[in-house]
Amino acid sequence: MKEVEYEVVRDRFDNCITVCNMENFDPLGIHTGESIVVAPSQTLTNEDYHYLRKLAIKIIRHIGIVGECNVQYAFDPESMDYRVIEVNARLSRSSALASKATGYPLAFVAAKLGLGYGLFDLRNSVTKETSAFFEPALDYIVCKIPRWDLGKFHGVRREIGSSMKSVGEVMAIGRTFEEVIQKGLRMIGQGMHGFVDNKPLTVTDDEIDRQLTTPTDKRIFVIAEAMLRGYTVDRIHDLTKIDKWFLYRLQNIVNTQKELTLSDSLEELDPALLRQAKEQGFSDFQIARAVLKEKMSSGEKDNLRVRDMRKSLGILPVVKQIDTLAAEYPAQTNYLYLTYNGSQNDVEYLHDRKSIVVLGSGAYRIGSSVEFDWCSVNALLTVKKEGWRSVMINYNPETVSTDYDMCDRLYFDELTFERVMDILDLEQPHGTILSVGGQIPNNLATRLDEQHINILGTTARSIDNAEDRNKFSAMLDRLGIDQPRWRELTSLEDINKFIDEVGFPVLVRPSYVLSGAAMNVCSNPDELERFLKLAANVSKQHPVVVTEFIQNAKEIEMDAVAQNGEIKVYAISEHIEFAGVHSGDATIQFPPQKLYVETMRRIKKVSGQIARALNISGPFNIQFLAKNNDIKVIECNLRASRSFPFVSKVLKINFIDLATKVMLGLPVEKPAKNAFDLDYVGIKASQFSFSRLQGADPVLGVDMSSTGEVGCIGVDTSEAILKAMLSVGMRVPKKGVLLSTGTPKQKADMLDSAHKLHNKGYRIYATGGTFRFLNDNGIPAIRVYWPSESEQPQALQMLHDKEIDLVVNIPKNLTPTELGNGHRIRRAAIDLNIPLLTNARLAAAFIEAFTTLSTDDIEIRSWDEY
């Protein structure tokens, strides 16, 4: 069975049109949000298409929907038998995709129809000539691919099905299915180069059969591996039930790849074959890897060799406009994509050097989400306001930065070095902004600089000096700035010597990564060896550094904008949790409430030294550790950080607007001193999706795992914390609280909270060690037992019986045995939807808040009243 969707629009006069139909690459049974989706459908016959379209219109008329709606079908193409799976009478995930895929602004039209307009009253905002009554017709194909981040979780199940686990998605636009699937697989940002020429999968034939039958997040690459091993389209179809049309197209890619491998050098490559490969979405890197095989010297050099060769042969991509009506009417917008399946550009290039290119942030993932979209959009607005032409490159259909009315030109395309260079060759802008799109653009800095691209703001050399852990640490030593002791990974022997000196735990840190990917705390030699291997794999060209891990230290962040090395505006915020929880998972308060004046003074001084040493022009973020009054620098990112939108909104000073002005070379005044005197507190708290990730252990560490965040403002910390915790789905407990509180030090830290719970009349349940500790300190508690103990009452049973409505479970350390026992309790809390806290500092802050304030005490005020 296929899964097919139609987006339908109806006005109050009973006029209906279908805007877009989409088809899932995966068969029925995998959630649309988990599936690869193509639009328009490729495998339906004309008869099938019109049959389902007519039904969709009949349904929306019968229900009487005004506005926009989507209809999902299960459809059997053999017998034309169908079932309606569901009708969403609202904008859905598919509506966002359909809007970006067709250029038909569904939300805008739905809002107007809701106000009582008719379809014939509204203009089509792409053609500017026709009314919104025209059905879009596409002369291109789009492909949506989900992005998962399952690798970050311990024990998570990798199968995908009817419940969503993906955290983001990408959309690729092109003229053939081969082109868009390869483009899309590069866009996902999981180290793949396309459908073929990736790192070979180490799987047996039995495993291939199993992974084809029970789909996982990696199934598309298993199909590639199967084809390379000689599986036929029929056999793969029998195992996966994916339509043969798609599989034959994928087979075309594999056939071209095999032809490429027959050449032994780039010089003897047939130009016709090179063009065919580019038309099928092969990147320069894939072509180099297929032809040169073991002779590849360095990916970057060989990449450029293929690039120079195809440019000399005139094999160049052309720029096409999305025009919604397949060129029946002239399009007015600059909504663009690049393809090799075309002969001329749809856009006239002026080459007046009046445009500024902003690189976006790509797919939403754990660690990079709306924050960088907010930064990109604000940069575009400032560029436009200052009289430049704003140009955006991004490929995420969920973002505001890919709305074609956000900027003067939108390239909905890849953020790879190759594609960015293609666009810059055409556009010839005044300059390019890298620092507002998170880690993806930052990683291109050095390579773009070598091609003499004008990077606005901080130079590529400075970016490299901050990103490369070894260079950065050496610079701090030169400046006499304190940092945790560190050693670069050159040999295991050397690292073991270093560990004899500093002792466990230590932190393994690769360079040029976002959200702490492959960063790990190691508390014994086995873990150390395992994580060093992992980090070296992730950060191939860049050094891996091992640092001492300082326990019970505060973590403090500095977000700032500098001009020519002088800080113009800054925000210092503190984490509620101690260091060791990734800053993207931590609960952050701003302005800080518990820092000594002396600590603040030192942070400002050290930040000023670093800004001068790296000659920063633009946004940056520095993370510090503070213990007593000593501060140490953890790292410095020469780009906007995850907390930029939060501090901008609490301070009411737009950091990105100022940073963009700096990068455009305009003078920026420092805000007046009193702008920093706030009589309210902002709290940023993280939202986790553990309930969706069956089997994952909901414990936090240095590798980020939250999928979203909230920001709340209150008159003091308690009010702001209470608002924030309720916003991320915590509930104030009514009856009983289960405490199991880690190490003796953590137990002592939680004593005060236990007193507050007792005084408030809560029943306290506690596991062994915590139970004894509470009794010794005069707090009555009821003992419950771990799953590994046989006595009664069992903690798990009490959770099932709903006797407990808050679980505070703090692992002593991150060793397997310690995590094992608590894992079942933590997992049960998540699966039964019982609020769970795994950090002593956060638990204490939340307990303080709900024992001193009731939810009725929360003031309701709008943002501008603070």
Side-chain angles (χ1 to χ4, degrees):
M1 293 291 265
K2 286 183 187 310
E3 192 169 338
V4 183
E5 283 189 64
Y6 279 74
E7 294 290 329
V8 200
V9 173
R10 175 181 175 272
D11 66 14
R12 65 195 178 102
F13 307 108
D14 209 26
N15 296 311
C16 289
I17 64 163
T18 55
V19 171
C20 181
N21 89 312
M22 295 171 266
E23 142 179 56
N24 288 8
F25 167 88
D26 299 293
L28 188 69
I30 293 179
H31 191 290
T32 323
E34 296 282 87
S35 185
I36 296 175
V37 178
V38 292
S41 60
Q42 301 294 306
T43 70
L44 296 183
T45 64
N46 199 30
E47 189 187 2
D48 295 343
Y49 170 80
H50 284 289
Y51 176 59
L52 294 177
R53 176 182 175 276
K54 206 162 74 200
L55 281 167
I57 287 176
K58 197 168 162 185
I59 291 168
I60 193 174
R61 281 189 166 143
H62 178 75
I63 299 174
I65 288 162
V66 172
E68 188 270 352
C69 146
N70 86 330
V71 184
Q72 289 180 24
Y73 296 104
F75 182 69
D76 175 21
E78 303 298 312
S79 61
M80 286 185 76
D81 188 15
Y82 72 91
R83 295 287 181 278
V84 175
I85 303 174
E86 65 176 3
V87 176
N88 286 317
R90 57 170 169 81
L91 288 144
S92 63
R93 180 175 305 94
S94 313
S95 322
L97 182 68
S99 298
K100 294 283 160 86
T102 58
Y104 188 100
L106 279 167
F108 169 80
V109 171
K112 289 284 198 186
L113 298 181
L115 292 169
Y117 289 89
L119 279 168
F120 44 82
D121 294 327
L122 305 176
R123 296 281 92 194
N124 174 323
S125 51
V126 172
T127 61
K128 307 253 168 72
E129 297 196 9
T130 55
S131 81
F133 212 165
F134 283 70
E135 288 202 356
L138 311 189
D139 56 357
Y140 52 88
I141 169 176
V142 306
C143 175
K144 177 213 91 174
I145 305 180
R147 150 107 196 190
W148 291 272
D149 268 328
L150 301 178
K152 282 180 172 278
F153 300 96
H154 302 289
V156 69
R157 290 211 279 285
R158 299 203 82 122
E159 292 83 38
I160 58 174
S162 53
S163 156
M164 243 182 100
K165 294 177 181 174
S166 62
V167 281
E169 60 190 30
V170 302
M171 182 179 103
I173 313 174
R175 289 292 175 92
T176 65
F177 178 71
E178 292 90 330
E179 181 176 41
V180 291
I181 192 86
Q182 293 233 76
K183 254 183 164 179
L185 292 172
R186 282 192 288 280
M187 290 173 172
I188 288 186
Q190 294 198 316
M192 297 304 186
H193 301 288
F195 182 62
V196 288
D197 294 307
N198 298 313
K199 279 198 301 255
L201 291 183
T202 45
V203 282
T204 64
D205 284 2
D206 292 347
E207 283 175 312
I208 286 189
D209 286 8
R210 193 174 64 250
Q211 289 194 32
L212 290 176
T213 343
T214 49
T216 66
D217 54 331
K218 296 274 191 289
R219 172 154 83 171
I220 184 83
F221 302 112
V222 179
I223 294 174
E225 185 61 32
M227 285 180 166
L228 290 168
R229 292 191 191 181
Y231 279 52
T232 61
V233 164
D234 290 348
R235 183 170 172 198
I236 296 175
H237 170 73
D238 290 341
L239 291 165
T240 62
K241 297 292 176 272
I242 292 168
D243 192 291
K244 287 183 190 174
W245 187 91
F246 293 122
L247 297 175
Y248 279 120
R249 295 299 169 130
L250 293 174
Q251 185 69 56
N252 289 346
I253 298 174
V254 172
N255 295 345
T256 301
Q257 196 264 353
K258 284 180 176 159
E259 270 184 75
L260 286 168
T261 54
L262 298 176
S263 306
D264 276 330
S265 70
L266 292 173
E267 290 66 38
E268 66 177 65
L269 190 59
D270 175 12
L273 179 60
L274 178 59
R275 176 170 279 286
Q276 178 185 321
K278 294 308 283 182
E279 285 173 359
Q280 291 183 355
F282 278 79
S283 68
D284 292 346
F285 179 90
Q286 281 174 292
I287 293 169
R289 182 176 261 185
V291 173
L292 297 170
K293 302 173 256 316
E294 286 75 49
K295 294 203 288 274
M296 252 181 119
S297 52
S298 86
E300 292 172 21
K301 279 202 195 79
D302 296 320
N303 229 345
L304 288 167
R305 280 175 62 199
V306 177
R307 180 179 181 79
D308 294 340
M309 189 172 107
R310 67 174 171 76
K311 281 172 83 168
S312 67
L313 293 167
I315 300 175
L316 297 169
V318 293
V319 175
K320 289 291 172 199
Q321 250 177 345
I322 285 196
D323 57 10
T324 75
L325 291 172
E328 286 176 51
Y329 291 86
Q332 305 290 325
T333 60
N334 281 311
Y335 182 0
L336 312 167
Y337 66 97
L338 274 68
T339 178
Y340 281 88
N341 296 287
S343 51
Q344 77 224 47
N345 291 335
D346 289 355
V347 181
E348 294 272 323
Y349 286 100
L350 301 171
H351 295 157
D352 55 3
R353 306 224 168 245
K354 290 224 171 88
S355 54
I356 303 280
V357 175
V358 177
L359 300 190
S361 55
Y364 286 166
R365 66 197 62 196
I366 290 178
S368 167
S369 148
V370 192
E371 314 89 351
F372 295 117
D373 187 50
W374 180 87
C375 294
S376 306
V377 168
N378 275 284
L380 290 168
L381 294 174
T382 304
V383 164
K384 212 166 173 167
K385 194 172 71 206
E386 297 300 339
W388 297 86
R389 198 185 304 118
S390 57
V391 181
M392 181 78 212
I393 310 177
N394 202 4
Y395 49 74
N396 183 340
E398 306 171 286
T399 56
V400 181
S401 60
T402 53
D403 289 354
Y404 50 77
D405 46 7
M406 255 344 290
C407 51
D408 297 313
R409 266 196 197 136
L410 165 65
Y411 289 94
F412 205 109
D413 222 307
E414 297 176 63
L415 286 162
T416 53
F417 170 72
E418 174 185 336
R419 189 42 41 102
V420 169
M421 284 302 297
D422 289 337
I423 293 171
L424 295 177
D425 282 350
L426 289 161
E427 196 65 53
Q428 294 189 7
H430 162 70
T432 305
I433 292 179
L434 304 183
S435 56
V436 293
Q439 199 62 39
I440 296 177
N442 239 27
N443 288 357
L444 294 174
T446 317
R447 295 172 69 190
L448 291 175
D449 188 52
E450 283 165 1
Q451 301 300 313
H452 310 297
I453 297 298
N454 179 22
I455 295 170
L456 298 180
T458 312
T459 62
R461 243 189 81 198
S462 292
I463 293 174
D464 187 52
N465 286 338
E467 285 281 359
D468 185 311
R469 303 264 188 211
N470 188 4
K471 291 178 186 167
F472 181 66
S473 295
M475 180 190 90
L476 293 183
D477 289 344
R478 269 201 315 281
L479 294 171
I481 294 171
D482 200 12
Q483 59 182 319
R485 284 174 290 174
W486 62 283
R487 188 71 49 86
E488 186 185 353
L489 168 63
T490 42
S491 70
L492 258 179
E493 210 173 318
D494 196 31
I495 291 297
N496 287 331
K497 247 192 255 154
F498 170 69
I499 286 170
D500 293 340
E501 201 181 300
V502 299
F504 283 109
V506 293
L507 191 56
V508 173
R509 309 163 64 88
S511 304
Y512 282 99
V513 292
L514 180 77
S515 74
M519 196 156 91
N520 281 292
V521 177
C522 311
S523 28
N524 56 48
D526 297 347
E527 284 180 16
L528 179 72
E529 201 157 324
R530 189 165 91 241
F531 291 137
L532 282 175
K533 274 203 189 86
L534 190 77
N537 272 342
V538 168
S539 202
K540 281 216 171 33
Q541 292 96 9
H542 306 292
V544 173
V545 163
V546 178
T547 50
E548 68 175 320
F549 181 66
I550 298 169
Q551 291 169 300
N552 304 325
K554 267 198 165 150
E555 194 166 330
I556 301 160
E557 303 230 11
M558 167 94 161
D559 287 308
V561 175
Q563 187 159 30
N564 305 324
E566 184 200 353
I567 295 179
K568 292 289 186 178
V569 54
Y570 66 89
I572 296 172
S573 42
E574 69 178 319
H575 293 196
I576 287 180
E577 295 88 345
F578 277 145
V581 172
H582 188 281
S583 60
D585 287 346
T587 314
I588 294 178
Q589 51 185 348
F590 171 72
Q593 303 298 303
K594 294 185 174 167
L595 290 187
Y596 304 118
V597 178
E598 173 60 16
T599 306
M600 298 276 274
R601 199 182 62 75
R602 287 188 185 186
I603 284 175
K604 278 188 257 186
K605 186 178 156 223
V606 169
S607 303
Q609 283 176 285
I610 292 175
R612 274 194 301 280
L614 291 167
N615 194 22
I616 301 175
S617 281
F620 69 101
N621 153 281
I622 305 178
Q623 289 169 9
F624 295 92
L625 286 179
K627 204 165 180 179
N628 310 327
N629 243 336
D630 288 341
I631 62 161
K632 296 179 191 294
V633 171
I634 310 176
E635 66 178 358
C636 171
N637 290 310
L638 299 194
R639 54 170 169 78
S641 78
R642 189 172 298 103
S643 38
F644 261 59
F646 172 65
V647 296
S648 294
K649 285 170 186 177
V650 176
L651 247 189
K652 303 191 181 180
I653 297 173
N654 187 327
F655 276 41
I656 292 293
D657 176 50
L658 295 176
T660 309
K661 284 181 176 153
V662 165
M663 290 187 276
L664 293 172
L666 301 165
V668 168
E669 289 301 303
K670 288 188 180 178
K673 261 282 176 273
N674 57 7
F676 294 102
D677 298 337
L678 304 182
D679 45 10
Y680 52 86
V681 182
I683 292 275
K684 176 165 97 61
S686 296
Q687 174 76 59
F688 297 91
S689 304
F690 288 116
S691 58
R692 295 289 176 135
L693 303 166
Q694 293 83 11
D697 189 351
V699 68
L700 305 185
V702 289
D703 192 346
M704 188 174 159
S705 52
S706 64
T707 47
E709 61 189 29
V710 303
C712 292
I713 296 176
V715 288
D716 59 16
T717 303
S718 279
E719 191 193 7
I721 275 271
L722 193 56
K723 283 183 180 177
M725 298 312 278
L726 294 173
S727 305
V728 293
M730 287 279 163
R731 295 185 303 281
V732 173
K734 304 251 187 311
K735 302 179 285 194
V737 178
L738 170 64
L739 300 179
S740 54
T741 51
T743 61
K745 182 171 183 340
Q746 288 165 330
K747 286 184 172 49
D749 289 345
M750 287 293 296
L751 187 58
D752 200 22
S753 304
H755 273 296
K756 287 179 181 144
L757 287 170
H758 174 57
N759 296 343
K760 218 41 190 164
Y762 283 103
R763 269 209 307 280
I764 299 176
Y765 299 96
T767 51
T770 308
F771 169 75
R772 285 190 293 277
F773 178 80
L774 292 176
N775 268 0
D776 294 348
N777 286 281
I779 298 173
I782 301 163
R783 172 152 191 191
V784 294
Y785 293 90
W786 290 108
S788 60
E789 300 170 318
S790 53
E791 293 94 321
Q792 294 294 339
Q794 275 286 327
L796 274 182
Q797 195 51 49
M798 308 213 50
L799 290 175
H800 280 280
D801 296 344
K802 300 275 187 281
E803 298 285 318
I804 292 169
D805 41 18
L806 173 66
V807 177
V808 178
N809 175 293
I810 296 148
K812 286 193 187 65
N813 51 42
L814 300 177
T815 56
T817 40
E818 175 61 26
L819 285 178
N821 225 343
H823 174 260
R824 292 178 57 191
I825 302 273
R826 289 191 290 275
R827 197 57 240 181
I830 293 290
D831 294 336
L832 298 166
N833 194 20
I834 296 166
L836 166 76
L837 292 162
T838 60
N839 183 284
R841 307 260 304 176
L842 181 58
F846 181 46
I847 290 168
E848 161 80 17
F850 74 71
T851 52
T852 51
L853 286 176
S854 90
T855 43
D856 304 337
D857 298 335
I858 294 177
E859 287 190 88
I860 297 174
R861 295 199 211 169
S862 67
W863 178 62
D864 46 13
E865 284 177 80
Y866 282 99

